[in-house]
Amino acid sequence: MTLREQLEAKKRRRAVVPVLVSDMTEDGNQLAAFQHAHALAAEAGRDAEAELLLADMEAQAEKVRGHWVDVELMALPPAEWEAATATWQTIQVQDDGPTAVMDWAEALPHLLALSCVDESMRDVAAWKPLLADGVCNLGEVDALKRALLHLNVEAADPRVPKD
């Protein structure tokens, strides 16, 4: 396949942001206990016990993963991203020149609704209370914002080798 064909076949970028939705403390502690017991059994050469503990550990890891949901986002077409962000951007003149400043508090629910792969979350009204009422913590809000920027603005570093 030629370079042109590869570029023409390029798909819109996607990113997944994991969001914790329930308290995983108990399940996490149980997973750590299984991991510790498995390590001790493997180190002692108790292979049959280690095998059983590995199965318990994998089942417990699934329980831990159940405390998280994946918010999948897709890049917007460039013109759509530009139009959407222009609504919440202002130009402020600083000492070093003009700077575009985004009102993320207003923009984020709209941009997430436009970008979310899950159709049930393509509604601004669904995102606003999650972001504003403390349902999502500051780290989760920041992760969602960074994912949008990564998908729509940032490019892969061309100096990073594929190997």
Side-chain angles (χ1 to χ4, degrees):
M1 182 179 269
T2 68
L3 176 59
R4 181 181 183 141
E5 290 168 334
Q6 289 174 337
L7 290 171
E8 288 171 346
K10 183 180 181 302
K11 304 266 191 248
R12 286 178 25 197
R13 293 167 53 175
R14 290 178 179 239
V16 173
V17 179
V19 176
L20 186 65
V21 293
S22 58
D23 184 3
M24 61 167 267
T25 304
E26 187 176 319
D27 287 331
N29 289 341
Q30 186 64 45
L31 175 59
F34 280 133
Q35 289 169 328
H36 182 69
H38 175 264
L40 291 175
E43 186 177 304
R46 299 187 311 263
D47 295 337
E49 182 184 351
E51 192 69 30
L52 290 172
L53 286 166
L54 181 61
D56 290 339
M57 195 168 68
E58 289 171 351
Q60 191 63 29
E62 279 301 312
K63 281 186 178 179
V64 169
R65 279 190 286 280
H67 291 280
W68 298 80
V69 295
D70 289 335
V71 177
E72 187 175 3
L73 303 171
M74 185 168 27
L76 297 172
E80 194 174 329
W81 172 260
E82 290 292 327
T85 56
T87 305
W88 298 283
Q89 247 179 12
T90 57
I91 302 299
Q92 295 181 0
V93 179
Q94 308 291 334
D95 291 340
D96 58 349
T99 303
V101 177
M102 178 75 76
D103 181 354
W104 280 105
E106 287 297 319
L108 192 56
H110 296 274
L111 295 173
L112 288 169
L114 289 170
S115 303
C116 196
V117 172
D118 184 318
E119 289 186 26
S120 71
M121 293 305 293
R122 289 190 187 154
D123 180 9
V124 176
W127 283 106
K128 279 188 175 185
L130 295 175
L131 299 171
D133 296 344
V135 175
C136 290
N137 69 32
L138 292 176
E140 292 162 339
V141 171
D142 187 55
L144 292 165
K145 180 177 23 173
R146 281 185 288 116
L148 287 172
L149 290 170
H150 173 72
L151 290 171
N152 293 287
V153 178
E154 299 171 6
D157 188 340
R159 296 167 286 170
V160 177
K162 291 183 181 180
D163 301 31

